[in-house]
Amino acid sequence: MAADLLDPPAGWLGAFDLVFESYTVQVLQGAARAAAIANCGALVAPGGELLVLARAREDADEPGAMPWPLTRAEMEAFATGDFQVVHLEAVHDHEEPPVRRWTATLRRRVVESAA
């Protein structure tokens, strides 16, 4: 299955128990980047998880060239609404020179309906 992250099919919203975002958002900027971050979470079913892997940078760091690393605030933006951050960590990989990356696990809460 494939679709446009900036305009996902309506039937995909809240349909997946696991969504894995790996290096897609970091090639976008501005409104497209914000929309992609929001839409990743929109795909996750209640009780499901969103796993995110991206290059990392500090807020004060220059964004550099594409791929543009994500800041902590951008990573935290994945956790809007009914998401909770289970794990968020910046790690260095084993490349030479080492590259700093974010790893995150977010879980969408199951919202109880008032019946």
Side-chain angles (χ1 to χ4, degrees):
M1 294 190 292
D4 182 349
L5 183 57
L6 301 179
D7 187 24
W12 287 20
L13 301 178
F16 298 94
D17 292 328
L18 176 66
V19 173
F20 179 47
E21 161 35 34
S22 178
Y23 306 120
T24 304
V25 171
Q26 68 186 27
V27 300
L28 302 171
Q29 291 184 306
R33 189 174 195 141
I37 289 170
N39 288 343
C40 282
L43 300 172
V44 180
E49 291 190 342
L50 171 60
L51 306 180
V52 182
L53 179 62
R55 287 179 177 250
R57 72 177 174 92
E58 296 296 327
D59 289 331
D61 293 347
E62 290 295 320
M66 185 174 76
W68 299 282
L70 277 67
T71 63
R72 183 176 191 91
E74 289 173 316
M75 290 297 292
E76 290 173 349
F78 283 96
T80 60
D82 53 357
F83 277 89
Q84 70 180 73
V85 175
V86 175
H87 169 87
L88 175 57
E89 179 180 22
V91 298
H92 284 89
D93 64 17
H94 299 290
E95 291 184 29
E96 276 301 322
V99 175
R100 191 165 170 247
R101 300 181 195 281
W102 292 112
T103 62
T105 304
L106 303 101
R107 184 169 299 121
R108 189 171 197 175
R109 293 182 187 94
V110 177
V111 179
E112 301 294 327
S113 62

